[in-house]
Amino acid sequence: MDKDKKRVSCSECPLRSLPAFRDFSDKELAFVSDFKTGELVADPGATILVEGAHSAHLYTVLSGWAFRYKTLADGRRQILNFVMPGDLVGLQGTLMDEMQHSIEALTPVRLCVFERGRISKVYTQHPTLAFDITWMAAREERILDENLLSVGRRSAFERAAYLLVYLYQRAKLAGLLTGRSAEIPVTQQHVADTLGLSTVHTNKTLRKLADRNLIKWRERACDILDEEGLLTVSSWEGFEESSRPFI
Amino acid sequence: MDKDKKRVSCSECPLRSLPAFRDFSDKELAFVSDFKTGELVADPGATILVEGAHSAHLYTVLSGWAFRYKTLADGRRQILNFVMPGDLVGLQGTLMDEMQHSIEALTPVRLCVFERGRISKVYTQHPTLAFDITWMAAREERILDENLLSVGRRSAFERAAYLLVYLYQRAKLAGLLTGRSAEIPVTQQHVADTLGLSTVHTNKTLRKLADRNLIKWRERACDILDEEGLLTVSSWEGFEESSRPFI
DNA sequence: CGTCTTTTTGACCATTTTCAATCAGTGTGG
DNA sequence: CCACACTGATTGAAAATGGTCAAAAAGACG
């Protein structure tokens, strides 16, 4: 086995972004080559996965932003969540028959491809990794829960505040941000489709947040001026990114 | 090992409700006794799991209805999903530090308790079961996606239609229903908190569905008069409960 | 400079909420 | 059996939130 080659392919191993592998050496990650079958790059606006797709593979995001969404027959769109480096996508397509949502790139996105058929090997041979996949699924569920609470019960103002701190904190955890100026590569249309509001009302709501010096909206970016304020407005506690327990 | 005893305790094994174990014999399920640590019964209105709880166990629902929900500081409540026999609850509490949602019983609920600490053994020794846990998590995520689409983008009328067929179909899949008369043990308050509407508007919306002969609401129950009609109104395709793929 | 996308605004309309009662059904104790 | 308390369903009217339409302004970019 040409370990060197494998090490190179693991130098930026997507699995390192999974909790269990953060502190693993390249050598320890070498076995990953057994599962990785390729890399993929998607341009902004490109559809990474489309609803209804069969036999999709499992991907980990190496870099870039994307979003998961569903649409109704007449075109109404709901953004379900945003995808950042370290995220796992395509689990539904891998486990069930087909994808029931689509994924679109917001910036150039690099993905690591795991072949669907090889997933069983993960479960039989690498229980720790299998556990991580479950952990990621539970994490996504938790985020969706909070999102649903937001869309269902928070006012437009609270909802927008929640979304912006949420994105800010997640981006920070994903190591995407340096200062307070969050390069959140979305338009107000995306925000509207996440909040379940119209673009017009979203615009007015963002303005209200800006008037209160909580944020400053810039084209495809947003400065978080008052993180605490946003948390208070949305009555959200923020992430306490609990690390995965030992197995 | 007293196999007989174990067989008895598995006669109604909670794992049988998990896809992978539907067709397993009692004998094959005997090993489950290693994980099961007890049984629990919750009365209607009782809180099964509460937000913020630490070191919770993992449960499978043997019988009864419950619901998962989150609340805001001022009491606004959002119901996230309903829990029926065969469902897994408490995964978040098991995998992460604490539960971020609560669960309340709607009818008497019987639960099978798996100790948190023994989950690792499932991953190392029973990959098929580990896979099932992931599968259940992915299924919950899928339901939440559809719910979020509903609350975010469907009108009150479409949303209510969606919820009722959804509950009808799920209850049917869980083997809870016989005829068209769905014994859905919820009040209009529950429906409102699921749809993200006020009780008043929910009442008027349900009336509209009844006026169009789609449903007939009865106290804590609901007759589904026109399943196809509800699917059309909500532009939902319904469940194609794909069985879990072979691992 | 012209074109394209995104943001912003105002006026008007629709949906949904809130408030405040009322009604119906169930169970209890007298 | 009836008065009473409770819970859940139902109603109408006023008020608020958010949506739609149409158009203009502001950047981004070749």
Side-chain angles (χ1 to χ4, degrees):
Chain A
M1 293 219 277
D2 44 351
K3 285 246 162 151
D4 284 330
K5 230 180 176 175
K6 290 193 173 176
R7 274 196 205 176
V8 171
S9 81
C10 285
S11 65
E12 196 185 21
C13 180
L15 292 178
R16 171 128 338 124
S17 56
L18 293 181
F21 293 86
R22 287 234 167 90
D23 306 318
F24 276 37
S25 67
D26 286 350
K27 195 175 156 195
E28 288 169 303
L29 282 170
F31 75 85
V32 169
S33 309
D34 295 348
F35 304 109
K36 181 174 171 178
T37 59
E39 225 176 280
L40 190 95
V41 177
D43 289 326
T47 301
I48 295 172
L49 284 170
V50 68
E51 191 171 337
H54 284 273
S55 70
H57 297 304
L58 186 63
Y59 306 84
T60 51
V61 178
L62 298 172
S63 66
W65 287 66
F67 63 92
R68 300 199 304 119
Y69 67 97
K70 281 178 80 79
T71 51
L72 290 171
D74 63 3
R76 280 173 287 177
R77 179 177 74 173
Q78 178 66 39
I79 294 182
L80 306 165
N81 195 10
F82 290 86
V83 176
M84 298 182 200
D87 285 355
L88 218 55
V89 303
L91 192 62
Q92 281 186 18
T94 308
L95 300 192
M96 347 277 276
D97 278 348
E98 58 178 54
M99 291 286 293
Q100 300 240 337
H101 61 261
S102 305
I103 301 183
E104 186 180 316
L106 285 165
T107 66
V109 174
R110 280 188 315 124
L111 300 143
C112 175
V113 187
F114 294 93
E115 211 174 286
R116 177 188 184 142
R118 300 194 192 175
I119 296 301
S120 59
K121 210 170 152 192
V122 171
Y123 276 81
T124 54
Q125 294 178 18
H126 298 283
T128 319
L129 182 49
F131 187 85
D132 278 338
I133 292 175
T134 310
W135 190 91
M136 294 292 286
R139 176 170 164 277
E140 181 74 12
E141 186 189 313
R142 179 184 276 209
I143 289 172
L144 285 172
D145 284 351
E146 189 71 50
N147 253 255
L148 193 48
L149 169 64
S150 202
V151 176
R153 287 305 185 201
R154 278 192 250 251
S155 70
F157 189 68
E158 298 166 327
R159 226 182 287 180
Y162 163 71
L163 178 61
L164 294 174
V165 241
Y166 161 73
L167 286 175
Y168 176 68
Q169 292 202 357
R170 265 204 73 193
K172 207 161 56 178
L173 284 168
L176 296 174
L177 303 181
T178 45
R180 294 246 128 181
S181 166
E183 292 297 322
I184 298 172
V186 298
T187 65
Q188 292 190 2
Q189 179 67 63
H190 290 119
V191 173
D193 285 347
T194 310
L195 302 179
L197 297 173
S198 67
T199 6
V200 174
H201 198 65
T202 297
N203 180 278
K204 287 166 182 165
T205 305
L206 289 175
R207 164 150 308 282
K208 215 155 96 181
L209 285 171
D211 288 346
R212 297 209 195 167
N213 289 313
L214 295 166
I215 63 158
K216 182 168 191 305
W217 184 268
R218 295 180 297 134
E219 196 145 325
R220 284 176 172 263
C222 178
D223 294 343
I224 304 299
L225 303 179
D226 183 357
E227 186 174 356
E228 274 307 317
L230 290 171
L231 288 169
T232 306
V233 165
S234 59
S235 74
W236 183 50
E237 317 227 315
F239 280 116
E240 334 114 23
E241 188 74 340
S242 60
S243 58
R244 159 191 170 291
F246 292 110
I247 184 169
Chain B
M1 293 220 278
D2 42 351
K3 285 247 163 153
D4 284 329
K5 231 180 179 177
K6 289 194 175 176
R7 275 197 208 176
V8 170
S9 81
C10 285
S11 66
E12 196 186 21
C13 179
L15 292 179
R16 171 133 333 128
S17 56
L18 294 181
F21 292 88
R22 288 233 166 89
D23 305 320
F24 277 37
S25 67
D26 286 352
K27 196 176 160 198
E28 288 169 302
L29 283 171
F31 76 86
V32 169
S33 308
D34 295 347
F35 304 109
K36 181 175 170 175
T37 59
E39 222 175 281
L40 191 97
V41 177
D43 289 327
T47 301
I48 295 172
L49 284 170
V50 68
E51 192 172 337
H54 284 272
S55 71
H57 296 305
L58 186 64
Y59 306 83
T60 51
V61 178
L62 297 173
S63 67
W65 287 66
F67 63 94
R68 299 198 306 118
Y69 67 96
K70 279 179 81 78
T71 52
L72 291 172
D74 64 3
R76 280 174 286 178
R77 179 176 74 172
Q78 177 65 40
I79 294 182
L80 305 165
N81 196 9
F82 290 86
V83 176
M84 298 180 199
D87 285 354
L88 218 56
V89 303
L91 192 61
Q92 281 185 19
T94 308
L95 301 192
M96 349 277 277
D97 279 348
E98 58 177 53
M99 291 287 292
Q100 298 241 335
H101 61 259
S102 305
I103 301 182
E104 187 179 316
L106 284 165
T107 67
V109 174
R110 282 188 314 123
L111 300 143
C112 174
V113 187
F114 294 92
E115 212 175 286
R116 178 192 183 138
R118 300 194 192 175
I119 295 301
S120 60
K121 209 169 153 193
V122 172
Y123 276 80
T124 55
Q125 295 177 18
H126 298 284
T128 320
L129 183 48
F131 188 86
D132 278 337
I133 292 175
T134 310
W135 190 91
M136 295 293 284
R139 174 170 165 276
E140 180 75 12
E141 186 189 313
R142 180 185 276 208
I143 290 172
L144 287 171
D145 283 352
E146 190 72 47
N147 252 255
L148 194 47
L149 170 64
S150 203
V151 176
R153 287 306 185 199
R154 278 192 251 251
S155 70
F157 188 68
E158 297 167 327
R159 227 182 287 179
Y162 164 70
L163 178 62
L164 295 173
V165 241
Y166 161 73
L167 286 175
Y168 176 67
Q169 292 202 355
R170 266 204 72 193
K172 207 163 52 177
L173 284 168
L176 296 174
L177 302 181
T178 45
R180 294 246 129 182
S181 167
E183 291 299 324
I184 299 172
V186 298
T187 65
Q188 292 189 1
Q189 180 67 62
H190 290 119
V191 174
D193 284 348
T194 310
L195 301 179
L197 297 173
S198 66
T199 8
V200 174
H201 197 64
T202 297
N203 180 278
K204 286 166 184 166
T205 304
L206 289 175
R207 163 151 307 283
K208 215 155 96 180
L209 284 171
D211 288 345
R212 297 211 194 165
N213 291 311
L214 294 167
I215 64 158
K216 183 170 192 305
W217 184 269
R218 296 180 296 134
E219 195 143 327
R220 284 178 172 261
C222 177
D223 294 343
I224 303 298
L225 303 179
D226 183 357
E227 186 174 358
E228 274 306 318
L230 290 171
L231 288 169
T232 306
V233 165
S234 59
S235 73
W236 182 49
E237 316 227 316
F239 280 116
E240 333 114 25
E241 188 75 339
S242 61
S243 57
R244 156 191 173 293
F246 292 111
I247 185 168

